[in-house]
Amino acid sequence: RMPASTPAADRRQRASAAFSLSFLSLVFSVTAFSSSHWCEGTRKVAKPFCKGQSSGDHCIRFNSPDANSSNAVQYIWETGDDKFVERKFHAGMWYSCEEIVDEGDEKCRSFISLTPATDQGVLWLSIVAELLYIILLLIGAILMSVEMCYYSTVIDGLKINAFSAVVTVLAGLLGMVAHMMYTTVFQMTVNLGPEDWRPHTWDYGWSYGLAWTSFACCMAAAVTTINKYTKTILEFKHKRKMLERSLRIKYMFPDH
């Protein structure tokens, strides 16, 4: 039969689990915040005319060798979507990048400059909320690490535990608000943004999923911390009740 774990060892395991979840949440949030793959998709761009000897699927060819002559008749047999080429793009909180097909490179622009003027304030609020989310996650992780290495009274550990739980819950709420605000801003930019940026198709990228994974880890860390705090309080109440019971018995039946 396996020996039962002591309350102190159980508290240490819960503290380690909460710290690990909080640290993972911090790493994921920083990675997502600094990347530009929150949303990905394609944009339809009209094919340019082929220059010189260049040919291929990314430009429109002339039937006439005298391409610069205004009298030259151009027969473009391509119709419909064949006149366009799809360029991949990805966007984040800070900038949006679009591939350059011919050069195999990317052209990046500030996402704030692409956002409609009426929604730029919401985007800035989203960025500030995301920064506060990261700062509070860092504070929570530091408090949890201090609690793990703090070998003084259990009461002092409970105080740190309660404060780290409040900070982590507040961080999670800010992160949720920041992610939802960015989603709203991006959808408004898709509808009202510049003509030379609006995507043809788009979906959420890996950074967006990583940001919500960070939120899930943050809330799991908060629940673990609150659970640890509640269990410690219940242990104290149980010990006090047992102590009062033993004192009452000793008072009723004194040992002569």
Side-chain angles (χ1 to χ4, degrees), residues 184-214:
T184 303
V185 170
F186 185 83
Q187 290 175 352
M188 293 299 293
T189 307
V190 168
N191 296 325
L192 304 174
E195 289 285 348
D196 63 341
W197 178 83
R198 293 183 193 177
H200 177 62
T201 59
W202 67 275
D203 202 351
Y204 298 109
W206 62 265
S207 297
Y208 188 79
L210 199 63
W212 282 107
T213 304
S214 169

Side-chain angles (χ1 to χ4, degrees), residues 120-239:
Q120 286 184 359
V122 181
L123 179 60
W124 278 113
L125 281 176
S126 174
I127 292 173
V128 170
E130 196 75 30
L131 284 172
L132 289 175
Y133 170 58
I134 292 173
I135 292 170
L136 289 176
L137 278 177
L138 179 61
I139 294 173
I142 291 172
L143 288 172
M144 290 175 189
S145 64
V146 169
E147 184 192 356
M148 286 173 57
C149 305
Y150 200 70
Y151 296 106
S152 184
T153 61
V154 181
I155 299 298
D156 291 337
L158 271 176
K159 292 177 181 177
I160 298 174
N161 186 245
F163 191 58
S164 62
V166 172
V167 168
T168 308
V169 169
L170 184 59
L173 292 176
L174 277 171
M176 180 181 66
V177 171
H179 303 161
M180 293 175 67
M181 283 195 297
Y182 176 79
T183 304
T184 303
V185 170
F186 185 83
Q187 290 175 352
M188 293 299 293
T189 307
V190 168
N191 296 325
L192 304 174
E195 289 285 348
D196 63 341
W197 178 83
R198 293 183 193 177
H200 177 62
T201 59
W202 67 275
D203 202 351
Y204 298 109
W206 62 265
S207 297
Y208 188 79
L210 199 63
W212 282 107
T213 304
S214 169
F215 167 75
C217 290
C218 173
M219 297 312 294
V223 169
T224 305
T225 307
I226 293 171
N227 182 265
K228 175 178 175 292
Y229 178 83
T230 306
K231 191 171 182 179
T232 306
I233 292 293
L234 291 175
E235 286 174 0
F236 268 107
K237 287 184 177 180
H238 179 69
K239 286 180 180 178

